Amino acid sequence: MIQIFGTNKSFDCKAAQRFFKERRIPFQFIDLKEKPMTQGEFDSVLSALGRSEGSVEAAIDALTNKNAKDYASVSYLDDSEKAAKLFENQAALLTLPVCRNGKTSATAGMAQKTWEGWK
């Protein structure tokens, strides 16, 4: 099952939900402000993104929303500290939506080309 992690106020999260609804692909939406990712879910997303991006460092970079008002609090950190900070402040710092298809693939942000291959 596809999971969409995001917030109800995010236009990109609404667009992702619409994308899957229009294609009648079942998904579960999780509002990060109400229920943040568990450490296991976060690690799963990070490793799946690391496989598609080429490295964990690239995955952390893809997950980090550089336009977030709190970005300055993570921009200077090294990758291990950055991952911990992203986990602590998911709704504020992650590039949304974070979509996960099982444990093997994940995306950060709008990735319709990738989603088209998901069932």
Side-chain angles (χ1 to χ4, degrees):
M1 154 108 33
I2 293 168
Q3 292 179 309
I4 302 172
F5 296 95
T7 62
N8 284 321
K9 290 187 176 184
S10 165
F11 290 110
D12 285 346
C13 293
K14 290 177 184 175
Q17 291 179 64
R18 190 170 43 254
F19 176 89
F20 291 113
K21 274 182 193 165
E22 288 171 353
R23 288 155 183 79
R24 293 186 173 85
I25 299 171
F27 66 89
Q28 175 188 20
F29 178 76
I30 296 107
D31 188 339
L32 291 173
K33 290 188 177 188
E34 293 175 14
K35 184 181 180 291
M37 281 186 242
T38 64
Q39 186 68 54
E41 289 170 330
F42 185 79
D43 292 343
S44 170
V45 165
L46 204 55
S47 68
L49 263 175
R51 282 192 294 277
S52 65
E53 296 286 331
S55 70
V56 174
E57 293 80 17
I60 291 170
D61 192 52
L63 272 175
T64 307
N65 180 357
K66 291 164 189 63
N67 296 323
K69 66 179 181 181
D70 297 336
Y71 175 67
S73 67
V74 295
S75 60
Y76 64 91
L77 299 173
D78 69 38
D79 287 328
S80 63
E81 293 173 322
K82 197 178 278 189
K85 192 77 160 172
L86 289 175
F87 178 72
E88 290 170 18
N89 302 299
Q90 295 174 26
L93 293 173
L94 292 180
T95 300
L96 300 178
V98 174
C99 297
R100 180 170 82 152
N101 186 10
K103 294 190 186 305
T104 56
S105 46
T107 61
M110 294 298 290
Q112 294 174 333
K113 294 257 187 276
T114 304
W115 299 340
E116 286 172 3
W118 292 2
K119 295 290 175 225

